[in-house]
Amino acid sequence: MTTFAIQRTPREIWGICYCCAWRFPAPGAAARLLLGTAAQESAFRWRRQISFDTATLREQLIGAFSLWQLEPASITTSVERLRARPALRERADWYLDPWGISTAWITGASTLELVRLLMQPEGDALGCLLARLHYLRVADPIPEAVEDQARYWKQHYNTPLGRGTTGQYLASWRTLCEPVLRPEEEEQ
């Protein structure tokens, strides 16, 4: 089974981000931030961190998983948030229901079970949700401008210790996200 093949179009990934974001605060900015995060973290292609996608490392709980490249500690923290907050679980279930995933399953699953799903196209909705839950930990509001979102991603997702740069985020945005959003903006 290939964990890195393109399985969804960028437009489909945008739909996942859009649906997820509308269940939580700041939906417009959040949808664009989630799209930009997936573009930068995986180029909409990689569901397993490239350096760990070898036969011996593929299923170990190291590295990052999903189009949003979530690390096991972040996955665990987001699942703990779901367990502790009924209102958050309810919103998450509204979003996940069409995908056949429930927060009851998520909160009862092992990290390895979650990771196995995140490495499949069927886990893209879950990956997006976990990325949104990661950003919900941040008190600062999500900015509207893409340049500000690049800095927000670097500070709160990639972290100052991460290898990604705001310049890389903006390049990913221009090449991968702008073509997806352009037709929608022209319709308005």
Side-chain angles (χ1 to χ4, degrees), residues 66-99:
S66 92
L67 296 176
W68 288 267
Q69 295 294 289
L70 298 148
E71 294 180 352
S74 180
I75 294 167
T76 300
T77 300
S78 292
V79 170
E80 288 170 1
R81 258 181 92 102
L82 283 174
R83 280 190 192 111
R85 299 187 174 164
L88 193 59
R89 277 195 314 272
E90 186 177 342
R91 288 178 182 209
D93 276 326
W94 289 339
Y95 162 65
L96 291 170
D97 184 59
W99 302 97

Side-chain angles (χ1 to χ4, degrees), residues 160-175:
L161 300 176
R163 294 172 64 191
T165 67
T166 57
Q168 291 169 339
Y169 183 101
L170 292 170
S172 294
W173 180 268
R174 283 189 296 277
T175 58

Side-chain angles (χ1 to χ4, degrees), residues 15 23 28-29 43 45 65 85 99 119 121 139 162 174 176 185:
R23 301 293 184 222
R45 296 173 46 188
F65 305 88
R85 299 187 174 164
W99 302 97
M119 288 193 294
R174 283 189 296 277
L176 298 171
E185 292 170 357

Side-chain angles (χ1 to χ4, degrees), residues 3-175:
T3 60
F4 52 84
I6 298 174
Q7 300 286 337
R8 295 193 189 278
T9 67
R11 192 83 171 140
E12 290 171 321
I13 296 166
W14 167 241
I16 291 168
C17 295
Y18 186 85
C19 290
C20 180
W22 283 96
R23 301 293 184 222
F24 301 97
R32 291 187 304 279
L33 179 63
L34 290 168
L35 184 68
T37 299
Q40 172 55 29
E41 294 289 335
S42 70
F44 300 148
R45 296 173 46 188
W46 312 106
R47 289 185 175 84
R48 181 68 170 105
Q49 190 172 359
I50 295 170
S51 57
F52 294 100
D53 197 23
T54 64
T56 56
L57 296 175
R58 190 166 291 127
E59 291 217 10
Q60 292 186 25
L61 293 177
I62 55 173
F65 305 88
S66 92
L67 296 176
W68 288 267
Q69 295 294 289
L70 298 148
E71 294 180 352
S74 180
I75 294 167
T76 300
T77 300
S78 292
V79 170
E80 288 170 1
R81 258 181 92 102
L82 283 174
R83 280 190 192 111
R85 299 187 174 164
L88 193 59
R89 277 195 314 272
E90 186 177 342
R91 288 178 182 209
D93 276 326
W94 289 339
Y95 162 65
L96 291 170
D97 184 59
W99 302 97
I101 304 170
S102 72
T103 58
W105 179 81
I106 294 167
T107 58
S110 69
T111 304
L112 183 58
E113 289 172 306
L114 294 171
V115 160
R116 285 182 177 149
L117 180 58
L118 290 169
M119 288 193 294
Q120 306 305 317
E122 296 81 8
D124 290 346
L126 175 59
C128 189
L129 173 68
L130 293 173
R132 184 64 185 109
L133 294 174
H134 182 90
Y135 282 123
L136 281 173
R137 292 185 242 165
V138 179
D140 299 331
I142 297 172
E144 291 289 334
V146 68
E147 295 80 9
D148 295 332
Q149 286 191 356
R151 287 187 287 279
Y152 192 92
W153 161 83
K154 177 61 184 166
Q155 179 67 36
H156 302 295
Y157 200 88
N158 184 257
T159 78
L161 300 176
R163 294 172 64 191
T165 67
T166 57
Q168 291 169 339
Y169 183 101
L170 292 170
S172 294
W173 180 268
R174 283 189 296 277
T175 58

